[in-house]
Amino acid sequence: MLVRDLFLPEEAHVRGRHGELAFVVGVQLFVDEAVVSWSGAPYMFPIRARVVNVRNREVQWVTVGHVPHVGKSVAHKAAARRRASDARNAVLQRCLEVPLRRFVGASQTCVTVDFPGSQTLTAFRRLVGLVADQLGERSVVCLVGNSSEFFCSHCVVRRDVAGGPAGVGAPARDVTVVLDAQLDGAITRDRDPRPSLRNPLRTEHSALAFVPAVGAIWGLTTDSRNVYAIISLDLLHVWKLGVVRMVTQRFPSFLRVVCDGQDARLGPVGDTLEALSLRAWEMGHLNLFVTFLVCHMLSAETVPLIVCTLC
Protein backbone atom coordinates (compact mmCIF):
# COMPACT_ATOMS: atom_id res chain seq x y z
CA MET A 1 0.00 0.00 0.00
CA LEU A 2 3.02 2.33 0.14
CA VAL A 3 3.15 2.57 -3.66
CA ARG A 4 -0.54 2.46 -4.49
CA ASP A 5 -2.44 5.43 -5.87
CA LEU A 6 -3.94 6.16 -2.47
CA PHE A 7 -0.73 6.74 -0.50
CA LEU A 8 1.44 8.77 -2.87
CA PRO A 9 -1.12 11.52 -3.69
CA GLU A 10 -1.85 11.85 0.02
CA GLU A 11 1.83 12.37 0.81
CA ALA A 12 2.14 14.90 -2.03
CA HIS A 13 -0.90 16.72 -0.68
CA VAL A 14 0.57 16.86 2.84
CA ARG A 15 3.96 18.12 1.67
CA GLY A 16 2.33 20.71 -0.60
CA ARG A 17 0.39 22.10 2.33
CA HIS A 18 2.89 21.74 5.18
CA GLY A 19 6.30 21.76 3.47
CA GLU A 20 8.98 19.24 2.63
CA LEU A 21 9.62 18.43 6.29
CA ALA A 22 6.19 16.81 6.58
CA PHE A 23 5.54 13.18 5.78
CA VAL A 24 2.70 10.71 6.01
CA VAL A 25 2.56 7.80 8.46
CA GLY A 26 0.34 5.23 6.78
CA VAL A 27 -1.61 2.85 8.98
CA GLN A 28 -3.61 -0.22 8.04
CA LEU A 29 -6.53 -1.58 10.05
CA PHE A 30 -7.35 -5.26 9.82
CA VAL A 31 -10.86 -6.24 10.87
CA ASP A 32 -11.47 -9.89 11.56
CA GLU A 33 -13.60 -11.88 13.96
CA ALA A 34 -11.33 -13.54 16.49
CA VAL A 35 -12.47 -14.99 19.79
CA VAL A 36 -10.26 -13.96 22.72
CA SER A 37 -11.20 -16.80 25.05
CA TRP A 38 -12.62 -20.27 24.50
CA SER A 39 -13.28 -20.82 28.21
CA GLY A 40 -17.02 -20.42 27.86
CA ALA A 41 -17.08 -16.96 29.41
CA PRO A 42 -18.45 -13.96 27.46
CA TYR A 43 -15.97 -13.43 24.68
CA MET A 44 -14.65 -10.32 22.91
CA PHE A 45 -13.10 -9.46 19.57
CA PRO A 46 -9.70 -7.69 19.45
CA ILE A 47 -8.98 -4.51 17.49
CA ARG A 48 -5.46 -4.74 16.04
CA ALA A 49 -3.37 -2.43 13.88
CA ARG A 50 0.11 -2.15 12.40
CA VAL A 51 2.11 0.78 11.02
CA VAL A 52 2.87 0.47 7.32
CA ASN A 53 6.15 2.32 6.87
CA VAL A 54 8.31 0.58 9.46
CA ARG A 55 11.92 1.13 8.44
CA ASN A 56 13.33 -2.13 9.77
CA ARG A 57 10.56 -4.12 7.97
CA GLU A 58 9.63 -6.02 11.09
CA VAL A 59 5.92 -6.85 11.23
CA GLN A 60 4.56 -6.11 14.68
CA TRP A 61 0.88 -6.24 15.49
CA VAL A 62 -0.52 -4.02 18.22
CA THR A 63 -3.79 -4.75 20.00
CA VAL A 64 -5.39 -1.36 20.59
CA GLY A 65 -8.74 -2.41 22.02
CA HIS A 66 -11.49 -4.99 22.24
CA VAL A 67 -15.08 -5.11 21.06
CA PRO A 68 -17.51 -6.89 23.42
CA HIS A 69 -19.81 -9.46 21.89
CA VAL A 70 -23.46 -8.48 21.53
CA GLY A 71 -25.55 -11.56 20.97
CA LYS A 72 -28.81 -11.97 19.15
CA SER A 73 -32.07 -11.03 20.76
CA VAL A 74 -33.78 -13.72 22.79
CA ALA A 75 -37.21 -12.41 21.81
CA HIS A 76 -38.33 -12.94 18.24
CA LYS A 77 -40.16 -9.64 17.85
CA ALA A 78 -38.98 -7.12 15.28
CA ALA A 79 -38.51 -4.42 17.92
CA ALA A 80 -36.25 -6.67 20.01
CA ARG A 81 -34.15 -7.63 16.99
CA ARG A 82 -33.82 -3.97 16.05
CA ARG A 83 -32.64 -3.04 19.55
CA ALA A 84 -30.02 -5.80 19.47
CA SER A 85 -28.83 -4.68 16.03
CA ASP A 86 -28.63 -1.04 17.12
CA ALA A 87 -26.69 -2.02 20.24
CA ARG A 88 -24.26 -4.08 18.16
CA ASN A 89 -23.62 -1.22 15.72
CA ALA A 90 -23.32 1.38 18.47
CA VAL A 91 -20.86 -0.71 20.52
CA LEU A 92 -18.65 -1.32 17.48
CA GLN A 93 -18.43 2.38 16.60
CA ARG A 94 -17.79 3.33 20.22
CA CYS A 95 -15.01 0.75 20.56
CA LEU A 96 -13.42 2.05 17.36
CA GLU A 97 -13.70 5.67 18.44
CA VAL A 98 -11.88 5.22 21.74
CA PRO A 99 -8.56 3.83 20.39
CA LEU A 100 -8.71 6.16 17.36
CA ARG A 101 -9.22 9.33 19.40
CA ARG A 102 -5.54 10.35 19.49
CA PHE A 103 -5.08 9.11 15.95
CA VAL A 104 -7.81 11.49 14.78
CA GLY A 105 -6.10 14.46 16.42
CA ALA A 106 -2.73 13.58 14.90
CA SER A 107 -4.30 13.25 11.46
CA GLN A 108 -5.70 16.78 11.65
CA THR A 109 -2.66 18.53 13.11
CA CYS A 110 0.67 16.73 13.31
CA VAL A 111 3.10 14.91 15.55
CA THR A 112 6.68 16.14 15.91
CA VAL A 113 9.28 13.47 15.24
CA ASP A 114 12.98 13.86 16.11
CA PHE A 115 15.32 11.60 14.12
CA PRO A 116 18.93 11.35 15.36
CA GLY A 117 21.26 13.51 13.31
CA SER A 118 18.51 15.08 11.16
CA GLN A 119 15.99 17.88 11.27
CA THR A 120 12.80 17.74 13.23
CA LEU A 121 10.02 16.45 11.02
CA THR A 122 6.25 16.54 11.31
CA ALA A 123 4.24 13.37 10.82
CA PHE A 124 0.63 13.28 9.70
CA ARG A 125 -1.16 10.04 10.29
CA ARG A 126 -3.39 8.68 7.57
CA LEU A 127 -5.48 5.55 7.39
CA VAL A 128 -4.51 4.01 4.04
CA GLY A 129 -6.04 0.56 4.32
CA LEU A 130 -9.03 -1.20 5.82
CA VAL A 131 -8.65 -4.93 5.21
CA ALA A 132 -11.71 -6.99 6.07
CA ASP A 133 -14.31 -9.34 4.69
CA GLN A 134 -17.50 -7.82 3.32
CA LEU A 135 -19.37 -8.10 6.60
CA GLY A 136 -16.58 -6.42 8.55
CA GLU A 137 -15.95 -3.52 6.16
CA ARG A 138 -19.65 -2.71 5.81
CA SER A 139 -19.99 -2.70 9.59
CA VAL A 140 -17.07 -0.31 9.99
CA VAL A 141 -18.40 2.20 7.43
CA CYS A 142 -22.02 1.69 8.60
CA LEU A 143 -23.53 0.28 5.42
CA VAL A 144 -26.35 -2.24 5.23
CA GLY A 145 -25.06 -5.80 5.16
CA ASN A 146 -28.11 -7.81 4.11
CA SER A 147 -30.89 -7.03 1.64
CA SER A 148 -29.15 -3.90 0.41
CA GLU A 149 -29.91 -2.45 -3.01
CA PHE A 150 -26.36 -1.07 -3.36
CA PHE A 151 -24.20 -3.86 -1.98
CA CYS A 152 -20.86 -2.47 -3.25
CA SER A 153 -19.01 -0.20 -0.84
CA HIS A 154 -17.15 1.64 -3.61
CA CYS A 155 -19.95 2.42 -6.07
CA VAL A 156 -23.73 2.52 -6.30
CA VAL A 157 -24.29 -0.28 -8.79
CA ARG A 158 -27.69 -1.88 -8.26
CA ARG A 159 -27.96 -5.48 -7.25
CA ASP A 160 -30.13 -6.48 -10.20
CA VAL A 161 -27.63 -5.23 -12.83
CA ALA A 162 -24.34 -6.00 -11.07
CA GLY A 163 -22.06 -8.28 -13.06
CA GLY A 164 -23.67 -7.41 -16.39
CA PRO A 165 -23.20 -4.75 -19.08
CA ALA A 166 -25.79 -2.49 -17.43
CA GLY A 167 -23.69 -2.33 -14.27
CA VAL A 168 -20.52 -1.11 -15.97
CA GLY A 169 -19.68 2.51 -15.23
CA ALA A 170 -21.76 2.84 -12.08
CA PRO A 171 -20.92 6.11 -10.27
CA ALA A 172 -18.81 6.03 -7.12
CA ARG A 173 -20.38 6.62 -3.74
CA ASP A 174 -20.55 10.28 -2.81
CA VAL A 175 -18.82 10.38 0.58
CA THR A 176 -20.23 13.75 1.59
CA VAL A 177 -23.82 12.92 0.65
CA VAL A 178 -23.78 9.55 2.43
CA LEU A 179 -22.13 10.98 5.56
CA ASP A 180 -24.63 13.84 5.77
CA ALA A 181 -27.48 11.34 5.42
CA GLN A 182 -25.97 9.16 8.16
CA LEU A 183 -25.64 12.17 10.47
CA ASP A 184 -29.29 13.09 9.91
CA GLY A 185 -30.31 9.45 10.37
CA ALA A 186 -28.39 9.13 13.65
CA ILE A 187 -30.05 12.26 15.04
CA THR A 188 -33.46 10.99 13.97
CA ARG A 189 -32.77 7.54 15.46
CA ASP A 190 -31.90 9.03 18.84
CA ARG A 191 -35.12 11.05 18.86
CA ASP A 192 -37.44 8.40 17.48
CA PRO A 193 -36.40 4.74 17.08
CA ARG A 194 -39.16 3.81 14.63
CA PRO A 195 -37.61 1.94 11.69
CA SER A 196 -39.90 3.62 9.17
CA LEU A 197 -37.94 6.84 9.63
CA ARG A 198 -34.76 5.08 8.48
CA ASN A 199 -36.21 3.63 5.29
CA PRO A 200 -35.12 6.55 3.05
CA LEU A 201 -31.54 6.10 4.24
CA ARG A 202 -31.65 2.40 3.38
CA THR A 203 -33.35 2.76 0.01
CA GLU A 204 -31.28 5.70 -1.26
CA HIS A 205 -27.84 4.80 0.10
CA SER A 206 -28.08 1.28 1.65
CA ALA A 207 -26.63 2.90 4.76
CA LEU A 208 -27.30 2.56 8.48
CA ALA A 209 -28.40 5.35 10.78
CA PHE A 210 -24.98 5.46 12.44
CA VAL A 211 -21.94 7.65 11.82
CA PRO A 212 -18.71 5.71 11.12
CA ALA A 213 -15.99 6.45 13.66
CA VAL A 214 -13.29 6.36 10.96
CA GLY A 215 -15.03 9.32 9.31
CA ALA A 216 -13.36 11.64 11.82
CA ILE A 217 -9.89 10.77 10.47
CA TRP A 218 -8.55 13.52 8.22
CA GLY A 219 -8.49 12.59 4.54
CA LEU A 220 -11.28 10.02 4.71
CA THR A 221 -14.28 12.35 4.71
CA THR A 222 -12.32 15.55 4.00
CA ASP A 223 -9.92 16.61 1.23
CA SER A 224 -9.59 13.55 -1.03
CA ARG A 225 -12.46 11.69 0.80
CA ASN A 226 -10.94 8.20 0.74
CA VAL A 227 -13.22 6.52 3.27
CA TYR A 228 -14.48 3.99 0.68
CA ALA A 229 -11.26 3.91 -1.35
CA ILE A 230 -9.26 2.43 1.56
CA ILE A 231 -11.38 -0.73 1.65
CA SER A 232 -9.63 -3.91 0.54
CA LEU A 233 -11.08 -7.40 0.62
CA ASP A 234 -9.38 -9.95 2.81
CA LEU A 235 -8.21 -12.43 0.18
CA LEU A 236 -7.58 -15.10 2.79
CA HIS A 237 -11.26 -15.07 3.70
CA VAL A 238 -12.27 -15.16 0.06
CA TRP A 239 -9.86 -18.01 -0.69
CA LYS A 240 -10.88 -20.15 2.25
CA LEU A 241 -14.63 -19.71 1.99
CA GLY A 242 -14.80 -19.69 -1.81
CA VAL A 243 -12.59 -22.71 -2.46
CA VAL A 244 -14.13 -24.84 0.27
CA ARG A 245 -17.64 -24.09 -0.98
CA MET A 246 -16.74 -24.75 -4.62
CA VAL A 247 -15.14 -28.09 -3.74
CA THR A 248 -18.04 -29.04 -1.47
CA GLN A 249 -20.69 -28.30 -4.09
CA ARG A 250 -19.06 -30.83 -6.39
CA PHE A 251 -18.47 -33.50 -3.78
CA PRO A 252 -21.93 -35.15 -3.85
CA SER A 253 -21.61 -35.74 -7.62
CA PHE A 254 -18.05 -36.97 -7.16
CA LEU A 255 -19.09 -39.42 -4.45
CA ARG A 256 -22.04 -40.60 -6.54
CA VAL A 257 -19.61 -41.62 -9.30
CA VAL A 258 -17.17 -43.22 -6.87
CA CYS A 259 -19.95 -45.13 -5.11
CA ASP A 260 -21.33 -46.62 -8.36
CA GLY A 261 -24.33 -44.34 -8.62
CA GLN A 262 -25.37 -44.56 -4.96
CA ASP A 263 -25.94 -41.33 -3.05
CA ALA A 264 -23.49 -40.44 -0.34
CA ARG A 265 -24.81 -41.04 3.17
CA LEU A 266 -24.20 -37.40 4.06
CA GLY A 267 -26.69 -36.27 1.44
CA PRO A 268 -26.88 -32.62 0.33
CA VAL A 269 -24.20 -29.96 0.00
CA GLY A 270 -24.81 -28.45 3.43
CA ASP A 271 -24.12 -31.71 5.26
CA THR A 272 -21.06 -32.33 3.09
CA LEU A 273 -19.72 -28.86 3.90
CA GLU A 274 -20.18 -29.56 7.61
CA ALA A 275 -18.29 -32.83 7.29
CA LEU A 276 -15.44 -31.16 5.39
CA SER A 277 -15.19 -28.46 8.04
CA LEU A 278 -15.14 -31.05 10.81
CA ARG A 279 -12.43 -33.06 9.04
CA ALA A 280 -10.40 -29.87 8.51
CA TRP A 281 -10.73 -29.00 12.19
CA GLU A 282 -9.52 -32.47 13.13
CA MET A 283 -6.47 -32.06 10.88
CA GLY A 284 -5.79 -28.66 12.42
CA HIS A 285 -5.32 -26.62 9.23
CA LEU A 286 -8.05 -25.73 6.76
CA ASN A 287 -5.78 -24.55 3.94
CA LEU A 288 -3.68 -27.70 3.84
CA PHE A 289 -6.80 -29.83 3.85
CA VAL A 290 -8.36 -27.95 0.94
CA THR A 291 -5.10 -28.17 -1.02
CA PHE A 292 -5.03 -31.86 -0.24
CA LEU A 293 -8.53 -32.27 -1.68
CA VAL A 294 -7.97 -30.21 -4.80
CA CYS A 295 -4.62 -31.73 -5.73
CA HIS A 296 -5.43 -35.35 -4.91
CA MET A 297 -9.19 -35.71 -5.33
CA LEU A 298 -8.70 -37.89 -8.40
CA SER A 299 -5.73 -39.77 -7.03
CA ALA A 300 -6.16 -43.51 -6.51
CA GLU A 301 -4.50 -43.32 -3.09
CA THR A 302 -6.83 -40.57 -1.91
CA VAL A 303 -10.21 -41.86 -3.14
CA PRO A 304 -10.55 -44.57 -0.45
CA LEU A 305 -9.77 -42.04 2.30
CA ILE A 306 -12.36 -39.55 1.02
CA VAL A 307 -14.99 -42.24 0.49
CA CYS A 308 -14.45 -43.63 3.98
CA THR A 309 -14.68 -40.19 5.48
CA LEU A 310 -17.75 -38.86 3.68
CA CYS A 311 -19.68 -41.87 2.33
Side-chain angles (χ1 to χ4, degrees), residues 234-293:
D234 189 344
L235 296 181
L236 183 59
H237 277 79
V238 176
W239 192 90
K240 289 193 299 183
L241 299 180
V243 171
V244 171
R245 182 165 297 277
M246 291 296 293
V247 171
T248 304
Q249 289 176 347
R250 288 156 176 79
F251 243 92
S253 300
F254 167 74
L255 293 176
R256 191 175 296 110
V257 174
V258 173
C259 300
D260 296 328
Q262 300 179 2
D263 292 335
R265 290 190 301 172
L266 292 177
V269 175
D271 296 336
T272 306
L273 176 61
E274 183 177 354
L276 285 174
S277 300
L278 178 61
R279 182 58 175 164
W281 179 79
E282 292 174 349
M283 297 184 69
H285 202 298
L286 178 61
N287 296 346
L288 290 180
F289 181 63
V290 174
T291 305
F292 168 78
L293 290 178

Side-chain angles (χ1 to χ4, degrees), residues 211-241:
V211 181
V214 295
I217 300 175
W218 193 268
L220 296 187
T221 56
T222 57
D223 286 345
S224 52
R225 298 188 295 274
N226 288 325
V227 64
Y228 301 125
I230 66 172
I231 296 174
S232 300
L233 287 178
D234 189 344
L235 296 181
L236 183 59
H237 277 79
V238 176
W239 192 90
K240 289 193 299 183
L241 299 180

Side-chain angles (χ1 to χ4, degrees), residues 5 53 62 76 149 182 228 237:
D5 294 338
N53 51 351
V62 179
H76 296 286
E149 179 66 20
Q182 288 177 324
Y228 301 125
H237 277 79

Side-chain angles (χ1 to χ4, degrees), residues 134-178:
Q134 188 178 36
L135 178 61
E137 53 96 357
R138 294 186 74 85
S139 298
V140 171
V141 296
C142 298
L143 296 178
V144 177
N146 297 324
S147 303
S148 58
E149 179 66 20
F150 309 103
F151 66 95
C152 178
S153 301
H154 299 268
C155 67
V156 289
V157 60
R158 293 186 176 274
R159 179 182 293 273
D160 55 348
V161 299
V168 178
R173 283 185 179 270
D174 193 318
V175 176
T176 303
V177 172
V178 176

Side-chain angles (χ1 to χ4, degrees), residues 97-145:
E97 185 270 336
V98 171
L100 291 176
R101 187 173 300 167
R102 296 180 61 186
F103 185 93
V104 169
S107 68
Q108 295 176 354
T109 56
C110 66
V111 176
T112 302
V113 180
D114 295 324
F115 289 102
S118 62
Q119 293 177 300
T120 300
L121 305 179
T122 55
F124 291 84
R125 300 178 184 178
R126 293 291 186 270
L127 186 60
V128 298
L130 174 62
V131 184
D133 53 18
Q134 188 178 36
L135 178 61
E137 53 96 357
R138 294 186 74 85
S139 298
V140 171
V141 296
C142 298
L143 296 178
V144 177

